[in-house]
Amino acid sequence: MAAVAQNVVNSDDQFTKNCNSPTQNSETDTNKSSSDSKSEFQKNINELADILSKLNPLAEEFIPSSFRLKNDQSVQNNFSKISGNDNFPNNRRRRNNFNQGRRRMNGRSFRAQREESIRRTVYVSDIDQHVTEERLAALFSSCGQQVVDCRICGDPHSVLRFAFVEFADEHGARAALSLGGTMLGFYPVRVLPSKTAILPVNPTFLPRSEDEREMCARTVYCTNIDKKVSQLDVKNYFESACGEVSRLRLLGDNVHSTRIAFVEFTIAESAIMALNCSGMVLGTQPIRVSPSKTPVRPRLARPGPN
């Protein structure tokens, strides 16, 4: 009897164990399946993030077609500004860079020409008031050197007048230094290397014929004229002191504080007398008078409207 009871108990335990076992197994399988799903999901997320990190968000496929069409022109303009391509209308930067480069080249060329001109020029001081530019140029030409230009400056009444003489080459300028101490008029002249070049005269202003050279002999160049002085005042001043004025040109601008004038007389003697007016006060300024290198040409009449 006891054996039967024991068998019954063992059978009950086995039944209970068999009943509980499927549940435990099911929970274990569920947990394992959930863990595998999470791992797979995380793996997919990581793969997707890796793929997206390699994409270019500015690529064409990521930009709406309507936005691309609307901004095509602006993109081209921006590219044109950067590259300066002639295929685009806006190539201002390229032109500006070209112009700046050309100006730099022109500036260097001008400085080189100016320095070369300075080396061909000498400075002459202590010039007698009766010495003319022609006589001074003849002195330096007598030693076998070709004189290109000669300018006497300063008050003609003072021995402190000075001049610049430019030669055809540097050898002429070096040879001219040996003429220092030569008597010219009543004073020995001093000759030194020049530190400045002679400002060239516009060739179109120089006399073109014998008649215009004769006009130059009757013309003086007057500077440092008070701006308050009118053209009539200048004419009356020179006519009262020197003789009849046939033509007068008074010039000025808004930059300089004084004006200049070219005064042509009817006879050459009047022009010579006008040179003695240098240093005289006209208005509030002492004027400077020197022979003119250019004639006073009559103004051309402007064509009227059709």
Side-chain angles (χ1 to χ4, degrees):
M1 190 68 180
V4 172
Q6 183 64 36
N7 290 335
V8 170
V9 171
N10 291 337
S11 298
D12 291 341
D13 291 341
Q14 185 66 32
F15 176 78
T16 302
K17 185 176 181 180
N18 291 336
C19 290
N20 293 336
S21 178
T23 303
Q24 293 175 354
N25 292 337
S26 177
E27 289 179 355
T28 301
D29 293 341
T30 302
N31 291 338
K32 184 177 180 181
S33 176
S34 175
S35 176
D36 291 343
S37 297
K38 288 181 179 180
S39 298
E40 185 69 21
F41 177 76
Q42 187 63 42
K43 181 180 178 182
N44 292 337
I45 290 297
N46 291 339
E47 290 178 354
L48 181 61
D50 183 60
I51 292 173
L52 293 176
S53 67
K54 297 178 181 179
L55 296 178
N56 179 13
L58 298 179
E60 185 175 351
E61 59 267 22
F62 290 96
I63 301 177
S65 59
S66 60
F67 182 84
R68 289 201 309 271
L69 293 174
K70 183 173 65 176
N71 288 275
D72 276 349
Q73 187 61 40
S74 63
V75 171
Q76 287 182 355
N77 288 340
N78 290 335
F79 177 76
S80 174
K81 291 177 182 178
I82 294 173
S83 65
N85 197 322
D86 286 338
N87 293 329
F88 298 101
N90 188 354
N91 60 352
R92 182 181 302 170
R93 175 170 296 184
R94 179 177 179 179
R95 290 196 302 269
N96 288 344
N97 289 340
F98 174 75
N99 291 336
Q100 289 174 2
R102 184 168 59 183
R103 282 196 295 269
R104 285 195 293 269
M105 290 297 293
N106 290 342
R108 286 195 289 267
S109 176
F110 173 77
R111 286 194 295 271
Q113 291 178 358
R114 185 174 181 274
E115 291 172 359
E116 194 268 339
S117 179
I118 291 175
R119 291 193 293 270
R120 293 188 285 107
T121 305
V122 295
Y123 169 76
V124 186
S125 62
D126 296 347
I127 300 175
D128 189 283
Q129 59 180 343
H130 300 291
V131 173
T132 63
E133 290 181 345
E134 290 77 8
R135 186 177 175 186
L136 182 63
L139 169 67
F140 288 99
S141 298
S142 63
C143 60
Q145 307 303 325
Q146 181 182 356
V147 175
V148 176
D149 201 352
C150 177
R151 305 281 180 89
I152 293 181
C153 312
D155 187 350
H157 299 291
S158 172
V159 294
L160 298 179
R161 288 201 304 165
F162 58 93
F164 297 94
V165 181
E166 181 180 345
F167 297 88
D169 52 40
E170 295 181 33
H171 175 71
R174 289 193 295 268
L177 298 178
S178 62
L179 294 178
T182 302
M183 293 294 296
L184 188 62
F186 295 99
Y187 302 94
V189 295
R190 298 177 58 205
V191 185
L192 300 170
S194 178
K195 296 181 179 180
T196 61
I198 297 178
L199 184 65
V201 177
N202 189 329
T204 61
F205 296 154
L206 295 176
R208 304 169 185 170
S209 63
E210 190 62 34
D211 289 340
E212 288 193 343
R213 279 188 283 272
E214 192 270 335
M215 290 168 60
C216 286
R218 295 186 282 108
T219 305
V220 295
Y221 172 62
C222 184
T223 63
N224 203 44
I225 300 175
D226 190 338
K227 275 199 168 183
K228 296 181 180 179
V229 174
S230 66
Q231 181 163 315
L232 182 59
D233 293 333
V234 177
K235 182 178 180 180
N236 291 338
Y237 173 81
F238 280 106
E239 284 191 333
S240 62
C242 310
E244 183 180 356
V245 173
S246 59
R247 191 178 290 118
L248 187 147
R249 190 71 46 78
L250 183 62
L251 306 172
D253 53 35
N254 295 325
V255 177
H256 299 87
S257 59
T258 59
R259 294 194 287 180
I260 64 173
F262 293 88
V263 184
E264 180 186 330
F265 296 90
T266 55
I267 57 176
E269 288 74 9
S270 297
I272 297 174
M273 292 177 61
L275 298 177
N276 295 325
C277 295
S278 189
M280 300 295 182
V281 176
L282 178 58
T284 60
Q285 301 284 346
I287 60 174
R288 292 191 291 270
V289 185
S290 59
S292 177
K293 295 180 180 293
T294 61
V296 183
R297 295 191 178 99
R299 294 184 185 274
L300 297 177
R302 294 183 180 179
N306 295 330

